[in-house]
Amino acid sequence: MPEGDTVWQSARRLHTALAGKILTRSDLRVPKYATADLTGRAVLDVTPRGKHLLTRVEGGLTLHSHLRMDGSWRVFATGARWTGGPAHQIRAILGNLDHTAVGYRLPVLELLRTTDEDRVVGHLGPDLLGPDWDPDHALANLLAAPARPLGEALLDQRNLAGIGNVYKSELCFLLGATPWLPVGALPAERAAKLPALAKKLLEANRDRPIRSTTGRRGQDLFVYGRAPRPCLRCHTSIRVADQGDGSRERPTYWCPHCQTGPAPTPGTPHSSQAPGSRTRPAPPGRIQHRPTN
């Protein structure tokens, strides 16, 4: 699932293959830009911004793409067979004498003036893997709406850029809070650690082929994707439910023993719980302190 670390890796691969070289092939397979031709122009750089990719091209142009749930950019040696999916899923092709970058299933692809980049990324909060990272600003953004559920606040790219469903669930586990706990109910000492912890997780994984938050080989994640398997700490069955307004799937995983705070009632749609397990509610305005093993 593409999150800030995945996008950072994609940008690095694209930059290595394309930057400083003249495009000999350009094919944007979306109706609005079907006639756009970038051949003959040099790629200046490929920059990640949260979950967005900005491919800057000579002449003051930027190709903006977003991977969303299952988009990807693949890089191949020129002349090699492409293996990223069927041809009808290709949305963009950028090639030079040495490499060809192929964008598959890109839900967002647009060509704009580089001077207009703020139109597509200007709303983003501090980038966890970017030069603009500011932990104090990120924390202030998160706490600006204290009644908002922690998981939803973490996913809001206007607060801080780069977190998706995986890191949302893992961060909440490491903080000992359910994703439905209001941000304002998170104890101050834990809230203060949140930005640094988020950055640590993404930085640790931006160079890894397999994402890990546990440091355990073969057990890469604490909760995400693990329902109803036992928690790695307490052996309680991990639970899963959707979080948000239902406009898109937001699978959310948590341990009902290690994490305290509100959670969906068992039996509600998209919620699973092992028989006999329960999530302990937190007193108003705070959560119970629990040792972090």
Side-chain angles (χ1 to χ4, degrees):
M1 178 179 296
E3 304 200 18
D5 54 346
T6 309
V7 174
W8 192 93
Q9 292 175 4
S10 294
R12 182 174 59 180
R13 287 193 298 269
L14 290 169
H15 184 86
T16 300
L18 301 177
K21 300 177 182 179
I22 303 295
L23 291 174
T24 57
R25 183 170 184 180
S26 165
D27 187 359
L28 305 183
R29 299 183 179 180
V30 293
K32 186 175 180 180
Y33 305 108
T35 60
D37 185 5
L38 301 176
T39 57
R41 299 172 186 256
V43 174
L44 303 178
D45 65 78
V46 183
T47 297
R49 183 73 173 86
K51 299 182 186 181
H52 299 252
L53 281 165
L54 303 171
T55 303
R56 300 181 179 119
V57 181
E58 194 176 36
L61 295 176
T62 295
L63 184 65
H64 167 234
S65 57
H66 195 296
L67 305 181
R68 295 257 171 98
M69 293 297 289
D70 61 351
S72 70
W73 278 97
R74 301 290 185 93
V75 175
F76 306 95
T78 295
R81 180 174 175 267
W82 301 347
T83 57
H88 72 267
Q89 293 182 348
I90 295 173
R91 297 293 176 266
I93 303 169
L94 298 175
N96 55 45
L97 294 177
D98 302 311
H99 297 94
T100 302
V102 185
Y104 289 89
R105 300 171 298 278
L106 300 175
V108 176
L109 185 70
E110 58 182 326
L111 190 64
L112 63 150
R113 291 286 177 188
T114 301
T115 53
D116 293 334
E117 285 180 359
D118 272 357
R119 178 172 62 81
V120 294
V121 296
H123 65 287
L124 298 175
D127 186 345
L128 283 155
L129 295 178
D132 69 318
W133 173 244
D134 183 336
D136 293 333
H137 186 191
L139 183 58
N141 289 345
L142 289 167
L143 297 177
R148 192 174 192 188
L150 175 60
E152 293 183 20
L154 289 171
L155 285 182
D156 190 336
Q157 303 300 295
R158 296 170 298 180
N159 290 333
L160 67 172
I163 292 177
N165 289 331
V166 177
Y167 284 117
K168 173 191 76 172
S169 294
E170 295 296 293
L171 277 167
C172 287
F173 176 82
L174 291 170
L175 291 167
T178 70
W180 291 269
L181 182 81
V183 176
L186 192 64
E189 66 274 14
R190 296 195 194 185
K193 295 177 182 177
L194 194 161
L197 180 59
K199 183 174 179 62
K200 180 180 178 181
L201 289 182
L202 267 73
E203 280 193 333
N205 283 288
R206 68 182 184 184
D207 294 316
R208 290 174 177 164
I210 299 176
R211 182 183 289 141
S212 175
T213 59
T214 66
R216 306 181 187 185
R217 182 173 297 179
Q219 297 176 324
D220 300 309
L221 302 174
F222 283 109
V223 291
Y224 189 86
R226 299 195 69 254
R229 285 177 287 172
C231 173
L232 297 179
R233 284 184 177 170
C234 73
H235 306 295
T236 300
S237 292
I238 298 298
R239 290 188 58 189
V240 60
D242 283 342
Q243 183 176 29
D245 59 9
S247 60
R248 48 180 135 164
E249 281 190 42
R250 294 293 194 190
T252 302
Y253 297 81
W254 78 102
C255 172
H257 181 266
C258 293
Q259 294 168 255
T260 52
T265 303
T268 56
H270 311 294
S271 176
S272 73
Q273 180 173 0
S277 66
R278 63 190 179 93
T279 298
R280 297 183 234 183
R286 64 185 180 92
I287 65 174
Q288 299 168 358
H289 288 264
R290 193 176 297 282
T292 54
N293 301 345

